[in-house]
Coordinates of all heavy atoms in Angstrom, one line a residue:
M1347 N 0.9 -1.2 0.0 CA 0.0 0.0 0.0 C 0.9 1.2 0.0 O 1.8 1.3 0.8 CB -0.9 0.0 1.2 CG -1.8 1.2 1.4 SD -2.8 1.2 2.9 CE -4.1 0.2 2.3
N1348 N 0.6 2.1 -0.9 CA 1.4 3.4 -0.9 C 0.6 4.5 -0.3 O -0.5 4.3 0.2 CB 1.8 3.7 -2.4 CG 0.6 4.0 -3.3 OD1 -0.4 4.4 -2.9 ND2 0.8 3.7 -4.6
K1349 N 1.1 5.7 -0.3 CA 0.5 6.8 0.4 C -0.9 7.2 -0.1 O -1.8 7.4 0.6 CB 1.4 8.1 0.4 CG 0.9 9.2 1.2 CD 1.9 10.3 1.2 CE 1.5 11.5 2.1 NZ 2.5 12.6 2.1
T1350 N -1.0 7.1 -1.5 CA -2.3 7.4 -2.1 C -3.4 6.4 -1.7 O -4.5 6.8 -1.4 CB -2.1 7.5 -3.6 OG1 -1.1 8.5 -4.0 CG2 -3.4 7.9 -4.3
E1351 N -3.0 5.2 -1.7 CA -3.9 4.1 -1.3 C -4.3 4.2 0.1 O -5.5 4.0 0.5 CB -3.3 2.7 -1.6 CG -3.1 2.4 -3.1 CD -2.2 1.2 -3.4 OE1 -1.5 0.8 -2.5 OE2 -2.4 0.7 -4.5
L1352 N -3.3 4.6 1.0 CA -3.6 4.8 2.4 C -4.6 6.0 2.6 O -5.6 5.9 3.4 CB -2.3 5.1 3.2 CG -2.5 5.3 4.7 CD1 -3.2 4.1 5.4 CD2 -1.1 5.5 5.3
I1353 N -4.4 7.0 1.9 CA -5.3 8.2 2.0 C -6.7 7.8 1.5 O -7.7 8.1 2.2 CB -4.8 9.4 1.1 CG1 -3.5 10.0 1.8 CG2 -5.9 10.4 0.9 CD1 -2.8 10.9 0.9
S1354 N -6.8 7.0 0.5 CA -8.1 6.5 0.0 C -8.8 5.6 1.1 O -10.0 5.8 1.3 CB -8.0 5.7 -1.3 OG -7.6 6.6 -2.3
A1355 N -8.0 4.8 1.7 CA -8.6 3.9 2.7 C -9.0 4.7 4.0 O -10.1 4.4 4.5 CB -7.5 2.9 3.2
I1356 N -8.3 5.7 4.4 CA -8.7 6.5 5.5 C -9.9 7.3 5.2 O -10.9 7.3 6.0 CB -7.5 7.5 5.8 CG1 -6.3 6.8 6.4 CG2 -8.0 8.6 6.8 CD1 -5.1 7.7 6.5
A1357 N -10.0 7.8 4.0 CA -11.2 8.6 3.5 C -12.5 7.7 3.6 O -13.5 8.0 4.0 CB -11.0 9.2 2.2
E1358 N -12.3 6.5 3.0 CA -13.4 5.5 3.0 C -13.9 5.1 4.3 O -15.1 5.1 4.6 CB -13.0 4.3 2.2 CG -14.1 3.3 1.9 CD -13.6 2.1 1.2 OE1 -12.9 2.3 0.2 OE2 -13.9 1.0 1.5
K1359 N -13.0 4.8 5.2 CA -13.3 4.3 6.5 C -13.8 5.3 7.5 O -14.5 5.1 8.5 CB -12.2 3.5 7.1 CG -12.0 2.2 6.4 CD -10.9 1.3 7.0 CE -10.7 0.1 6.1 NZ -10.1 -1.0 6.7
S1360 N -13.4 6.6 7.3 CA -13.7 7.7 8.2 C -14.8 8.6 7.8 O -15.3 9.4 8.6 CB -12.4 8.5 8.5 OG -12.1 9.2 7.4
G1361 N -15.1 8.5 6.5 CA -16.2 9.4 6.0 C -15.6 10.8 5.6 O -16.4 11.7 5.3
L1362 N -14.3 10.9 5.7 CA -13.7 12.2 5.3 C -13.5 12.2 3.8 O -13.5 11.2 3.1 CB -12.3 12.3 5.9 CG -12.2 12.4 7.5 CD1 -10.8 12.3 7.9 CD2 -12.9 13.6 8.0
T1363 N -13.3 13.5 3.3 CA -13.0 13.6 1.8 C -11.5 13.2 1.7 O -10.8 13.1 2.7 CB -13.1 15.0 1.3 OG1 -12.2 15.8 2.0 CG2 -14.6 15.5 1.5
K1364 N -11.1 12.9 0.5 CA -9.7 12.5 0.3 C -8.7 13.7 0.7 O -7.7 13.4 1.2 CB -9.4 12.1 -1.2 CG -10.0 10.7 -1.5 CD -9.6 10.2 -2.8 CE -10.2 8.9 -3.1 NZ -9.8 8.3 -4.4
T1365 N -9.2 14.9 0.4 CA -8.3 16.0 0.8 C -8.2 16.1 2.3 O -7.1 16.3 2.9 CB -9.0 17.3 0.3 OG1 -9.1 17.2 -1.1 CG2 -8.1 18.5 0.6
Q1366 N -9.3 15.9 3.1 CA -9.3 15.9 4.5 C -8.4 14.8 5.0 O -7.7 14.9 6.0 CB -10.7 15.9 5.1 CG -11.5 17.1 4.8 CD -13.0 16.9 5.2 OE1 -13.5 15.8 5.0 NE2 -13.6 17.9 5.7
A1367 N -8.6 13.6 4.4 CA -7.8 12.4 4.8 C -6.3 12.7 4.6 O -5.5 12.3 5.5 CB -8.3 11.2 4.1
K1368 N -6.0 13.3 3.5 CA -4.6 13.6 3.2 C -4.0 14.6 4.2 O -2.9 14.4 4.7 CB -4.4 14.2 1.8 CG -3.0 14.6 1.4 CD -2.9 15.2 0.1 CE -1.5 15.6 -0.2 NZ -1.4 16.6 -1.3
D1369 N -4.8 15.6 4.6 CA -4.4 16.6 5.6 C -4.2 15.9 6.9 O -3.2 16.2 7.7 CB -5.4 17.7 5.7 CG -5.4 18.6 4.5 OD1 -4.4 18.5 3.6 OD2 -6.4 19.4 4.3
A1370 N -5.1 15.0 7.3 CA -5.0 14.3 8.6 C -3.8 13.4 8.6 O -3.0 13.4 9.6 CB -6.3 13.5 8.8
L1371 N -3.5 12.7 7.5 CA -2.3 11.8 7.5 C -1.0 12.6 7.6 O -0.1 12.3 8.3 CB -2.4 11.0 6.2 CG -1.2 10.0 6.0 CD1 -1.0 9.0 7.1 CD2 -1.2 9.3 4.7
E1372 N -1.0 13.7 6.8 CA 0.2 14.5 6.8 C 0.5 15.2 8.2 O 1.6 15.3 8.7 CB 0.2 15.6 5.7 CG 0.4 15.0 4.3 CD 0.3 16.0 3.2 OE1 0.1 17.2 3.4 OE2 0.5 15.5 2.1
A1373 N -0.6 15.6 8.9 CA -0.5 16.1 10.2 C 0.0 15.1 11.2 O 0.8 15.4 12.0 CB -1.9 16.7 10.7
T1374 N -0.5 13.9 11.0 CA 0.0 12.8 11.9 C 1.4 12.5 11.7 O 2.2 12.3 12.6 CB -0.9 11.5 11.6 OG1 -2.2 11.8 11.9 CG2 -0.5 10.3 12.5
I1375 N 1.8 12.4 10.4 CA 3.2 12.1 10.1 C 4.1 13.2 10.6 O 5.2 12.9 11.2 CB 3.4 11.9 8.6 CG1 2.7 10.6 8.1 CG2 4.9 11.9 8.2 CD1 2.6 10.4 6.6
N1376 N 3.7 14.5 10.4 CA 4.5 15.6 10.9 C 4.6 15.6 12.4 O 5.7 15.9 13.0 CB 3.9 16.9 10.4 CG 4.1 17.1 9.0 OD1 5.0 16.6 8.4 ND2 3.3 17.9 8.4
A1377 N 3.5 15.2 13.1 CA 3.6 15.2 14.6 C 4.5 14.1 15.1 O 5.3 14.3 16.0 CB 2.2 15.0 15.2
I1378 N 4.5 12.9 14.5 CA 5.3 11.8 14.8 C 6.8 12.2 14.5 O 7.7 12.0 15.4 CB 4.9 10.5 14.1 CG1 3.6 10.0 14.7 CG2 6.0 9.4 14.3 CD1 3.0 8.9 13.9
S1379 N 7.0 12.7 13.3 CA 8.4 13.1 13.0 C 9.0 14.2 13.9 O 10.1 14.1 14.3 CB 8.4 13.7 11.5 OG 8.0 12.7 10.6
G1380 N 8.2 15.1 14.2 CA 8.6 16.2 15.1 C 9.0 15.7 16.5 O 10.0 16.1 17.1
A1381 N 8.2 14.8 17.0 CA 8.4 14.2 18.3 C 9.7 13.4 18.3 O 10.5 13.4 19.2 CB 7.3 13.3 18.8
L1382 N 9.9 12.6 17.2 CA 11.1 11.8 17.1 C 12.4 12.7 17.0 O 13.4 12.3 17.5 CB 11.0 10.8 15.9 CG 10.0 9.7 16.1 CD1 9.8 8.9 14.8 CD2 10.4 8.8 17.3
E1383 N 12.3 13.8 16.3 CA 13.4 14.7 16.1 C 13.8 15.2 17.5 O 15.0 15.4 17.7 CB 13.0 15.9 15.3 CG 13.0 15.7 13.8 CD 12.6 16.9 13.0 OE1 12.9 18.0 13.4 OE2 11.9 16.7 12.0
K1384 N 12.9 15.4 18.4 CA 13.2 15.9 19.7 C 13.7 14.7 20.6 O 14.1 15.0 21.8 CB 12.0 16.5 20.4 CG 11.5 17.8 19.8 CD 10.4 18.4 20.6 CE 9.2 18.7 19.8 NZ 8.1 19.1 20.5
G1385 N 13.6 13.5 20.1 CA 14.1 12.3 20.9 C 13.0 11.7 21.8 O 13.2 10.9 22.6
D1386 N 11.7 12.2 21.5 CA 10.6 11.6 22.3 C 10.2 10.3 21.8 O 10.6 9.9 20.7 CB 9.4 12.6 22.2 CG 9.6 13.9 22.8 OD1 10.5 14.0 23.7 OD2 8.8 14.8 22.5
K1387 N 9.5 9.6 22.6 CA 9.0 8.2 22.3 C 7.5 8.4 22.0 O 6.8 9.1 22.8 CB 9.3 7.3 23.4 CG 8.9 5.9 23.3 CD 9.5 5.1 24.5 CE 8.5 4.0 24.9 NZ 9.1 3.2 26.0
I1388 N 6.9 7.7 21.0 CA 5.5 7.8 20.7 C 4.9 6.4 20.9 O 5.3 5.4 20.2 CB 5.2 8.2 19.3 CG1 5.8 9.6 19.0 CG2 3.8 8.2 18.9 CD1 7.1 9.7 18.4
A1389 N 4.0 6.2 21.8 CA 3.4 4.9 22.1 C 1.9 5.0 21.7 O 1.2 5.8 22.3 CB 3.5 4.6 23.6
L1390 N 1.5 4.2 20.8 CA 0.1 4.1 20.3 C -0.3 2.7 20.8 O 0.0 1.7 20.2 CB 0.0 4.2 18.8 CG 0.6 5.5 18.2 CD1 0.6 5.4 16.7 CD2 -0.2 6.7 18.7
I1391 N -1.1 2.7 21.9 CA -1.5 1.5 22.6 C -2.2 0.6 21.6 O -3.2 1.0 20.9 CB -2.4 1.8 23.8 CG1 -1.7 2.7 24.8 CG2 -2.8 0.5 24.5 CD1 -0.4 2.2 25.3
G1392 N -1.8 -0.6 21.5 CA -2.4 -1.6 20.6 C -1.8 -1.6 19.2 O -2.0 -2.6 18.5
F1393 N -1.2 -0.5 18.8 CA -0.5 -0.4 17.5 C 1.0 -0.7 17.6 O 1.5 -1.6 17.0 CB -0.8 0.9 16.8 CG -0.3 1.0 15.4 CD1 -0.8 0.3 14.4 CD2 0.8 1.8 15.2 CE1 -0.3 0.4 13.1 CE2 1.4 1.9 13.9 CZ 0.8 1.2 12.9
G1394 N 1.7 0.2 18.4 CA 3.1 0.0 18.5 C 3.7 1.3 19.1 O 3.1 2.3 19.4
T1395 N 5.1 1.2 19.1 CA 5.9 2.3 19.7 C 7.0 2.7 18.8 O 7.7 1.8 18.3 CB 6.5 1.9 21.1 OG1 5.4 1.4 21.9 CG2 7.2 3.0 21.7
F1396 N 7.1 4.0 18.5 CA 8.2 4.6 17.8 C 9.2 5.1 18.7 O 8.8 5.8 19.7 CB 7.7 5.7 16.8 CG 6.7 5.3 15.8 CD1 5.4 5.3 16.0 CD2 7.2 4.9 14.5 CE1 4.5 5.0 15.0 CE2 6.3 4.5 13.5 CZ 5.0 4.5 13.7
S1397 N 10.5 4.9 18.5 CA 11.5 5.5 19.4 C 12.8 5.8 18.6 O 12.9 5.3 17.5 CB 11.8 4.6 20.6 OG 12.3 3.3 20.1
V1398 N 13.6 6.5 19.2 CA 14.9 6.8 18.6 C 16.0 6.1 19.4 O 16.0 6.1 20.6 CB 15.2 8.4 18.6 CG1 16.6 8.7 18.0 CG2 14.2 9.1 17.8
S1399 N 16.9 5.4 18.7 CA 18.0 4.7 19.3 C 19.3 5.2 18.7 O 19.4 5.6 17.5 CB 17.8 3.2 19.0 OG 18.8 2.5 19.6
E1400 N 20.3 5.2 19.5 CA 21.6 5.6 19.0 C 22.5 4.4 18.7 O 22.6 3.4 19.5 CB 22.3 6.5 20.0 CG 21.6 7.8 20.2 CD 22.4 8.8 21.0 OE1 23.7 8.7 21.1 OE2 21.8 9.7 21.6
K1401 N 23.1 4.4 17.6 CA 24.1 3.3 17.2 C 25.5 3.9 17.4 O 25.8 5.0 16.9 CB 23.9 2.9 15.7 CG 22.7 2.1 15.5 CD 22.7 1.4 14.2 CE 21.7 0.2 14.2 NZ 22.1 -0.8 13.2
A1402 N 26.3 3.2 18.1 CA 27.7 3.6 18.3 C 28.5 3.5 17.1 O 28.2 2.8 16.1 CB 28.3 2.7 19.4
A1403 N 29.6 4.3 17.1 CA 30.5 4.3 16.0 C 31.2 2.9 16.0 O 31.4 2.3 17.0 CB 31.6 5.4 16.1
R1404 N 31.6 2.4 14.8 CA 32.2 1.1 14.7 C 33.0 1.0 13.5 O 33.0 1.8 12.6 CB 31.1 0.0 14.7 CG 30.1 0.0 13.6 CD 28.9 -0.8 13.8 NE 28.1 -1.0 12.6 CZ 27.2 -0.1 12.2 NH1 27.1 1.0 12.8 NH2 26.5 -0.3 11.1
T1405 N 33.8 -0.1 13.4 CA 34.7 -0.4 12.3 C 34.0 -1.4 11.4 O 33.6 -2.5 12.0 CB 36.1 -0.8 12.7 OG1 36.6 0.2 13.6 CG2 37.0 -1.0 11.6
G1406 N 33.9 -1.2 10.1 CA 33.4 -2.2 9.2 C 34.4 -2.6 8.2 O 35.5 -2.1 8.2
V1407 N 34.0 -3.4 7.3 CA 34.9 -3.9 6.2 C 34.2 -3.6 4.8 O 33.0 -4.0 4.7 CB 35.2 -5.4 6.4 CG1 36.1 -5.8 5.2 CG2 35.9 -5.6 7.7
N1408 N 34.9 -3.0 3.9 CA 34.4 -2.8 2.6 C 34.5 -4.2 1.9 O 35.6 -4.7 1.7 CB 35.2 -1.8 1.8 CG 34.7 -1.5 0.4 OD1 34.1 -2.4 -0.2 ND2 35.0 -0.3 -0.1
P1409 N 33.3 -4.8 1.5 CA 33.4 -6.1 0.9 C 34.1 -6.2 -0.4 O 34.7 -7.2 -0.8 CB 31.9 -6.5 0.7 CG 31.1 -5.2 0.8 CD 32.0 -4.2 1.6
A1410 N 34.2 -5.1 -1.1 CA 34.9 -5.1 -2.4 C 36.4 -5.1 -2.3 O 37.1 -5.8 -3.0 CB 34.4 -3.9 -3.3
T1411 N 36.9 -4.3 -1.4 CA 38.3 -4.1 -1.2 C 38.9 -4.7 0.0 O 40.1 -4.8 0.2 CB 38.7 -2.6 -1.2 OG1 38.1 -2.0 0.0 CG2 38.2 -1.9 -2.4
K1412 N 38.0 -5.2 0.9 CA 38.4 -5.8 2.2 C 39.1 -4.7 3.1 O 39.7 -5.1 4.1 CB 39.3 -7.0 2.1 CG 38.8 -8.1 1.2 CD 37.5 -8.7 1.7 CE 37.1 -9.8 0.8 NZ 35.7 -9.9 0.7
A1413 N 39.1 -3.5 2.7 CA 39.7 -2.4 3.6 C 38.8 -2.1 4.7 O 37.5 -2.1 4.6 CB 39.9 -1.2 2.7
K1414 N 39.4 -1.8 5.9 CA 38.6 -1.4 7.0 C 38.1 0.0 6.9 O 38.8 0.9 6.3 CB 39.5 -1.5 8.3 CG 39.8 -2.9 8.7 CD 40.4 -3.0 10.0 CE 40.6 -4.5 10.4 NZ 41.2 -4.6 11.7
I1415 N 36.9 0.3 7.3 CA 36.3 1.6 7.2 C 35.7 2.0 8.5 O 35.2 1.1 9.3 CB 35.2 1.7 6.1 CG1 34.1 0.7 6.2 CG2 35.9 1.6 4.7 CD1 33.0 0.8 5.3
N1416 N 35.7 3.2 8.8 CA 35.0 3.7 10.1 C 33.6 4.1 9.8 O 33.3 4.9 8.9 CB 35.8 4.9 10.6 CG 37.1 4.5 11.2 OD1 37.3 3.4 11.8 ND2 38.1 5.4 11.0
I1417 N 32.7 3.5 10.5 CA 31.2 3.8 10.4 C 30.9 4.8 11.5 O 31.0 4.4 12.7 CB 30.4 2.6 10.4 CG1 30.8 1.6 9.3 CG2 28.9 2.9 10.3 CD1 30.2 0.2 9.3
P1418 N 30.4 6.0 11.2 CA 30.2 7.0 12.3 C 28.9 6.6 13.1 O 28.1 5.9 12.7 CB 30.0 8.3 11.6 CG 29.6 7.9 10.2 CD 30.2 6.6 9.9
A1419 N 28.9 7.1 14.3 CA 27.7 6.9 15.2 C 26.5 7.7 14.5 O 26.7 8.6 13.8 CB 27.9 7.5 16.5
K1420 N 25.3 7.1 14.7 CA 24.1 7.8 14.2 C 22.9 7.4 15.0 O 22.9 6.5 15.8 CB 23.9 7.4 12.7 CG 23.6 6.0 12.5 CD 23.3 5.7 11.0 CE 22.9 4.3 10.7 NZ 22.6 4.1 9.3
K1421 N 21.8 8.2 14.8 CA 20.6 7.9 15.4 C 19.7 7.2 14.4 O 19.7 7.6 13.2 CB 19.9 9.1 15.9 CG 20.6 9.8 17.1 CD 19.9 11.0 17.6 CE 20.7 11.7 18.7 NZ 20.0 12.8 19.2
V1422 N 18.9 6.2 14.9 CA 18.0 5.5 14.0 C 16.6 5.4 14.6 O 16.5 5.4 15.8 CB 18.5 4.0 13.7 CG1 19.8 4.1 12.9 CG2 18.6 3.2 14.9
V1423 N 15.6 5.3 13.8 CA 14.2 5.2 14.3 C 13.9 3.7 14.4 O 14.1 3.0 13.5 CB 13.2 5.9 13.3 CG1 11.8 5.7 13.7 CG2 13.5 7.4 13.2
K1424 N 13.2 3.4 15.5 CA 12.8 2.0 15.7 C 11.3 2.0 15.9 O 10.7 2.9 16.4 CB 13.5 1.4 16.9 CG 15.0 1.1 16.8 CD 15.5 0.4 17.9 CE 16.9 0.0 17.7 NZ 17.5 -0.9 18.7
F1425 N 10.7 0.9 15.4 CA 9.3 0.6 15.7 C 9.1 -0.7 16.2 O 9.6 -1.7 15.7 CB 8.5 0.8 14.3 CG 7.0 0.4 14.5 CD1 6.2 1.3 15.1 CD2 6.5 -0.8 14.1 CE1 4.8 1.0 15.3 CE2 5.2 -1.1 14.3 CZ 4.3 -0.2 14.9
K1426 N 8.4 -0.8 17.3 CA 8.1 -2.1 17.9 C 6.6 -2.3 17.9 O 5.8 -1.5 18.5 CB 8.6 -2.2 19.4 CG 8.3 -3.5 20.0 CD 8.8 -3.6 21.4 CE 8.5 -5.1 21.9 NZ 8.6 -5.2 23.3
A1427 N 6.1 -3.3 17.2 CA 4.7 -3.5 17.1 C 4.1 -3.9 18.4 O 4.6 -4.6 19.3 CB 4.4 -4.7 16.1
G1428 N 2.8 -3.4 18.7 CA 2.1 -3.7 19.9 C 1.5 -5.1 19.8 O 1.4 -5.7 18.7
S1429 N 1.0 -5.6 20.9 CA 0.5 -7.0 20.9 C -0.7 -7.1 20.0 O -0.9 -8.2 19.3 CB 0.2 -7.4 22.3 OG -0.8 -6.6 22.9
E1430 N -1.6 -6.2 20.0 CA -2.8 -6.3 19.1 C -2.4 -6.3 17.6 O -3.0 -7.2 16.9 CB -3.8 -5.1 19.3 CG -4.5 -5.2 20.7 CD -5.4 -4.0 20.9 OE1 -6.0 -3.5 19.9 OE2 -5.6 -3.6 22.1
L1431 N -1.5 -5.5 17.2 CA -1.1 -5.5 15.8 C -0.3 -6.8 15.5 O -0.6 -7.4 14.4 CB -0.1 -4.3 15.5 CG 0.5 -4.2 14.1 CD1 -0.6 -4.1 13.1 CD2 1.4 -3.0 14.0
A1432 N 0.5 -7.2 16.4 CA 1.3 -8.5 16.2 C 0.3 -9.7 16.1 O 0.5 -10.6 15.2 CB 2.2 -8.7 17.3
D1433 N -0.8 -9.7 16.9 CA -1.7 -10.8 16.8 C -2.5 -10.8 15.4 O -2.8 -11.8 14.9 CB -2.7 -10.7 17.9 CG -2.1 -11.1 19.3 OD1 -1.0 -11.7 19.3 OD2 -2.7 -10.7 20.3
K1434 N -2.8 -9.6 14.9 CA -3.5 -9.5 13.6 C -2.6 -9.9 12.5 O -3.1 -10.5 11.5 CB -3.9 -8.0 13.4 CG -5.1 -7.6 14.2 CD -5.5 -6.2 13.9 CE -6.6 -5.7 14.8 NZ -7.1 -4.4 14.5
V1435 N -1.3 -9.7 12.6 CA -0.4 -10.1 11.5 C -0.1 -11.6 11.5 O 0.2 -12.1 10.4 CB 0.9 -9.3 11.6 CG1 1.9 -9.8 10.6 CG2 0.6 -7.8 11.5
K1436 N -0.3 -12.3 12.6 CA 0.0 -13.7 12.6 C -0.7 -14.5 11.6 O -1.7 -14.5 11.2 CB -0.3 -14.3 14.0 CG 0.8 -13.9 15.0 CD 0.5 -14.6 16.3 CE 1.6 -14.2 17.4 NZ 1.3 -14.8 18.6

């Protein structure tokens, strides 16, 4: 499912127009992104939890040349599915 299909599904299930559904989806994405930028955790009970995790700097190997390379530290977004969502996917 892509963004357009998701907007259509939201509009159909909520009774909103596609424009309203698009605005609602974009507002939700912006709110989640903004919270993650600040390092906050977003917990949607029954759906899942979004969080930011830090990966430490490490040394890797270039598979083509076998040369060692330094991989810098970075922050990554993690999602852990809630139990209700996990049960539906089974």
Side-chain angles (χ1 to χ4, degrees):
M1347 176 181 281
N1348 62 31
K1349 187 175 180 180
T1350 303
E1351 294 168 339
L1352 180 57
I1353 290 168
S1354 295
I1356 292 169
E1358 183 180 316
K1359 292 184 182 199
S1360 67
L1362 298 172
T1363 65
K1364 285 187 180 182
T1365 303
Q1366 292 170 325
K1368 179 182 178 200
D1369 292 343
L1371 177 61
E1372 288 179 357
T1374 301
I1375 291 170
N1376 288 337
I1378 291 171
S1379 298
L1382 290 172
E1383 282 179 36
K1384 292 187 235 173
D1386 293 342
K1387 183 170 144 180
I1388 299 98
L1390 303 173
I1391 305 301
F1393 182 71
T1395 303
F1396 295 92
S1397 62
V1398 176
S1399 179
E1400 292 190 27
K1401 288 195 163 202
R1404 60 194 190 280
T1405 303
V1407 177
N1408 180 334
T1411 63
K1412 307 295 185 218
K1414 289 187 177 185
I1415 56 172
N1416 290 323
I1417 302 170
K1420 66 178 182 175
K1421 292 182 179 181
V1422 295
V1423 176
K1424 289 188 173 185
F1425 176 76
K1426 182 178 180 198
S1429 60
E1430 288 178 32
L1431 178 60
D1433 290 343
K1434 287 181 182 180
V1435 174
K1436 282 186 183 179

